[in-house]
Amino acid sequence: MTDVIAGQTVSLLSQFYDFSGGTLTDLDATPSITVTSVATGATALAVTTSGVTHPGTGSYGYGWTPASTLTPGLYLALWAGTKSGSAVTATETITVVAPAAAAATNTSPDGVWYATREDVMRAMDSKLTARNAAQIDRQLEAASRDVELLCHRRFYPVAATRFFDWPPRAGMTPWVLRLDDQELISVSTLASGGAIITSDEYNLEPVNAGPPYTRIEIKLSSDASLGGGDTYQRDVQVTGLWGYRNTETLVGAVAEVLDDSETAVDVTGPAAALLGVGSVLRVDSERMLVTGRSMADTGQNLGGSGLTAQQNNVAVTVTDGTAFAVDEVLLIESERMLIVDIAGNTLTVRRAWDGSVLAAHTAGVDIYASRTLTVTRGALGTVAAAHANNSSLYRWEPPALVRDLVIGQAISGLTSETSGYTKAVRGGEGSSERNRDNSALTGLRQAVYDALGRKGRVRSV
């Protein structure tokens, strides 16, 4: 049996003898080689003679490079040729291993937040500036990592292959694989000792509480088993979706054709209203992290008689009101506006939004909206890919308590920055001081830990 990491090259070798125990002998012509999955029969290498070498009498070689995205598992290389006009074959088994453990792929938690910049700004009634944005982003990163430490778990979904020793060094039940702190949402491939264990041969547990699942149990009614590899180290490999839960909301669609490298993504109005910097998105099988946003031309113009420089002049006439969404931010010339209601083709807005200056605008000027997202492509273990126009856009939803705590801790961190992280602030009268009241935030931390924290030891040793 030969092992190879997907994406790397392995040398395959076949040898043919004139009879069992005899001497090596050449075939009539160069033999062909094909590689197929033992579990599914899918072709990993189509029948070919191209690239087959002849290093010595009766010996034939081939350098095979399985695609880095090839499903891990057991594969069969079949050599086929003729000797003196009769068909002859040779076989070799190959174990394809995932290219890396999760820690070595694009699964870093950096930039994965459980609330958005816009969540914090709305809570603080803060206007957008580059300085404010940088401060908020820093606090969101710190708060998100702190909540993970508090709960002893990561909540976001990660597509990855992870490895486990079998038998484990600290005791075992023969048919139970305990995942310890590697919580599981779903499985696409389970293999042990190079052999695929199919989905009808195992259970994900606890069935009544998961996901997240904390163990995989081989069905006692099946013939499958764990182990059987050359060594117990990394004998079991599980490819799947890891994390707490994969709760998603359909928020809109992509508003352009995307190639696999573009990092500025145009989205529809409904999506723009529901997304923010820090959102985790999914388009088809690819996940993306929103790291910024900017204005895009909506293709519509200010109608009616325009707008005067008055706060109560709040009706924006457009050609197609269905292309906009409540809570979307518009830009007309240099003034930002927040859509608070839509009736037909009339948008009711809040003027001079986000610290912009109230101004008059003539009919016919372009209307822009915050619909271009700057994203990190191929995030959380996925691969950047091309996507069609109008592809559905999903937003991952963190647990509500976690989101609230991250917002609270981010705001606490921002206000603490302004006071130099002191424990007291000036009172409203004279020079007396009073302690800052953090009891509500402390109570929220306790509630999050009570509801979502992992409290048991992983394993006794």
Side-chain angles (χ1 to χ4, degrees), residues 130-199:
R131 180 168 176 266
N132 282 350
Q135 288 178 306
I136 292 171
D137 293 354
R138 187 172 60 251
Q139 293 298 334
L140 281 169
E141 178 72 28
S144 296
R145 304 291 78 80
D146 181 69
V147 170
E148 290 169 353
L149 289 173
L150 172 69
C151 294
H152 307 294
R153 66 174 17 134
R154 292 177 178 177
F155 295 93
Y156 55 85
V158 173
T161 296
R162 292 182 175 166
F163 300 87
F164 301 87
D165 292 348
W166 190 264
R169 304 179 191 186
M172 58 175 282
T173 302
W175 61 88
V176 179
L177 173 66
R178 301 188 186 279
L179 303 174
D180 296 343
D181 61 338
Q182 304 298 311
E183 295 182 308
L184 185 60
I185 299 172
S186 62
V187 174
S188 56
T189 304
L190 171 64
S192 183
I196 298 294
I197 301 174
T198 58
S199 59

Side-chain angles (χ1 to χ4, degrees), residues 378-461:
L380 299 178
T382 63
V383 177
H387 305 286
N389 182 35
N390 206 37
S391 294
S392 296
L393 189 60
Y394 295 87
R395 180 185 67 189
W396 176 72
E397 305 290 356
L401 278 174
V402 169
R403 175 182 174 273
D404 289 348
L405 179 56
V406 167
I407 293 172
Q409 288 200 183
I411 293 173
S412 177
L414 290 166
T415 54
S416 293
E417 279 189 19
T418 63
S419 63
Y421 289 93
T422 58
K423 293 184 178 180
V425 294
R426 291 284 180 182
E429 299 179 5
S431 60
S432 62
E433 292 184 341
R434 58 183 174 82
N435 289 329
R436 181 179 286 117
D437 184 2
N438 290 322
S439 59
L441 185 59
T442 301
L444 181 55
R445 281 181 63 84
Q446 186 62 50
V448 169
Y449 178 73
D450 290 344
L452 300 167
R454 298 178 71 242
K455 304 167 186 67
R457 289 186 299 175
V458 171
R459 181 83 58 78
S460 60
V461 179

Side-chain angles (χ1 to χ4, degrees), residues 91-111:
T91 59
E92 181 178 1
T93 53
I94 310 156
T95 299
V96 177
V97 180
T105 58
N106 55 339
T107 59
S108 168
D110 296 340

Side-chain angles (χ1 to χ4, degrees), residues 160-364:
T161 296
R162 292 182 175 166
F163 300 87
F164 301 87
D165 292 348
W166 190 264
R169 304 179 191 186
M172 58 175 282
T173 302
W175 61 88
V176 179
L177 173 66
R178 301 188 186 279
L179 303 174
D180 296 343
D181 61 338
Q182 304 298 311
E183 295 182 308
L184 185 60
I185 299 172
S186 62
V187 174
S188 56
T189 304
L190 171 64
S192 183
I196 298 294
I197 301 174
T198 58
S199 59
D200 61 344
E201 296 177 315
Y202 63 84
N203 293 321
L204 300 179
E205 300 292 350
V207 63
N208 293 322
Y213 300 109
T214 58
R215 65 187 190 272
I216 300 174
E217 296 189 4
I218 302 299
K219 290 184 179 179
L220 299 180
S221 59
S222 76
D223 294 329
S225 62
L226 297 171
D230 296 334
T231 172
Y232 72 92
Q233 293 176 309
R234 300 187 181 183
D235 177 86
V236 180
Q237 58 184 39
V238 184
T239 300
L241 193 63
W242 304 83
Y244 181 69
R245 280 191 184 136
N246 188 30
T247 303
E248 295 181 325
T249 298
L250 176 63
V251 295
V254 175
E256 62 172 325
V257 175
L258 281 180
D259 61 27
D260 60 1
S261 61
E262 190 172 355
T263 57
V265 179
D266 292 338
V267 300
T268 58
L274 294 172
L275 298 173
V277 177
S279 293
V280 177
L281 311 180
R282 182 178 63 81
V283 182
D284 299 326
S285 62
E286 180 187 355
R287 287 187 173 81
M288 310 175 190
L289 305 181
V290 180
T291 59
R293 60 191 306 170
S294 56
M295 293 292 174
D297 193 340
T298 64
Q300 299 196 46
N301 304 89
L302 179 62
S305 56
L307 292 169
T308 62
Q310 296 174 293
Q311 286 283 7
N312 62 355
N313 190 195
V314 295
V316 174
T317 302
V318 296
T319 305
D320 180 12
T322 63
F324 296 86
V326 172
D327 279 344
E328 205 177 354
V329 176
L330 307 180
L331 179 66
I332 300 179
E333 296 180 307
S334 294
E335 183 184 350
R336 290 177 181 250
M337 306 174 193
L338 177 70
I339 300 177
V340 295
D341 203 358
I342 300 175
N345 295 329
T346 300
L347 315 179
T348 302
V349 300
R350 185 175 296 177
R351 300 287 300 273
W353 180 252
D354 212 8
S356 59
V357 177
L358 185 69
H361 309 283
T362 59

